[in-house]
């Protein structure tokens, strides 16, 4: 494996869920289950509870931090390796003047867009300089509505 040119550890999610978030989630789930039972939509409560079960398993078993490394050959994040030849462009997106996401647009891969969380203390100038020598920067990229909703809903 090649030596990292730049690396950082970021949280799996940027925002932490408050007790109010969990209370609202429980109310929504109970509402869906009760609605499904009262309307005789028997599969609806089952699917809702399966969804909740998978979400809880994912939340409890996912690592709390993610190590990302920029190397000579590509970018390593979690268990994934993104070769520079398969990265069409990158963008560093900001929320309130703080670095938020490193967005990679990949060529022929699924998913076509990979988002890697950044941290406030990260030196994005150095990261950008390293990536610019290997990949084109997308200067027109912006935070999407979906990104905003994910941030606001703390998903």
């Amino acid at each position: 494996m090649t030596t990292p040119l730049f690396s950082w550890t970021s949280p799996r999610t940027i925002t932490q869920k408050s007790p109010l978030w969990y209370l609202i989630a429980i109310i929504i789930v109970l509402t869906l289950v009760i609605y499904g039972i009262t309307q005789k939509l028997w599969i609806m409560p089952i699917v809702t509870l399966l969804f909740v079960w998978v979400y809880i398993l994912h939340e409890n078993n996912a690592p709390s931090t993610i190590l990302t490394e920029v190397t000579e050959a590509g970018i390593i994040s979690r268990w994934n390796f993104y070769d520079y030849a398969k990265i069409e462009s990158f963008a560093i997106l900001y929320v309130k003047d703080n670095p938020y996401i490193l967005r990679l647009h990949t060529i022929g891969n699924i998913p076509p867009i990979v988002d890697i969380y950044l941290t406030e203390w990260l030196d994005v100038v150095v990261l950008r300089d390293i990536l610019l020598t290997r990949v084109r920067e997308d200067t027109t990229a912006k935070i999407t509505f979906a990104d905003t909703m994910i941030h606001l809903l703390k998903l």
Side-chain angles (χ1 to χ4, degrees), residues 61-74:
N61 294 323
S64 59
T65 59
I66 297 168
L67 174 65
T68 303
E69 296 179 337
V70 177
T71 67
E72 287 288 339

Side-chain angles (χ1 to χ4, degrees), residues 42-52:
W42 305 117
I43 199 76
M44 185 176 178
I46 294 169
V47 170
T48 302
L49 293 174
L50 280 173
F51 175 78
V52 168

Side-chain angles (χ1 to χ4, degrees), residues 21-94:
W21 186 95
Y22 287 103
L23 179 65
I24 292 170
I26 289 170
I27 290 169
I28 290 170
V29 168
L30 287 176
T31 302
L32 289 172
V33 168
I34 292 169
Y35 177 78
I37 292 170
T38 58
Q39 297 299 313
K40 297 185 175 151
L41 302 169
W42 305 117
I43 199 76
M44 185 176 178
I46 294 169
V47 170
T48 302
L49 293 174
L50 280 173
F51 175 78
V52 168
W53 181 58
V54 168
Y55 183 80
I56 290 171
L57 282 176
H58 175 71
E59 283 290 309
N60 289 335
N61 294 323
S64 59
T65 59
I66 297 168
L67 174 65
T68 303
E69 296 179 337
V70 177
T71 67
E72 287 288 339
I75 299 172
I76 303 167
S77 184
R78 293 187 193 177
W79 309 277
N80 302 314
F81 175 73
Y82 304 101
D83 187 2
Y84 291 124
K86 294 190 177 188
I87 300 174
E88 181 181 350
S89 65
F90 78 93
I92 297 175
L93 305 177
Y94 295 84

Side-chain angles (χ1 to χ4, degrees), residues 77-148:
S77 184
R78 293 187 193 177
W79 309 277
N80 302 314
F81 175 73
Y82 304 101
D83 187 2
Y84 291 124
K86 294 190 177 188
I87 300 174
E88 181 181 350
S89 65
F90 78 93
I92 297 175
L93 305 177
Y94 295 84
V95 170
K96 297 180 183 173
D97 295 328
N98 292 321
Y100 180 57
I101 294 173
L102 171 63
R103 176 162 289 160
L104 306 175
H105 294 269
T106 60
I107 301 169
N109 285 348
I110 297 176
I113 296 174
V114 177
D115 286 341
I116 301 171
Y117 286 113
L118 302 173
T119 56
E120 292 178 11
W121 52 265
L122 189 70
D123 190 354
V124 292
V125 174
V126 173
L127 175 62
R128 176 179 279 119
D129 290 343
I130 292 170
L131 291 176
L132 277 175
T133 61
R134 293 157 178 83
V135 183
R136 179 181 63 84
E137 182 176 15
D138 180 4
T139 56
T140 62
K142 298 194 182 321
I143 296 286
T144 64
F145 177 73
D147 295 327
T148 304

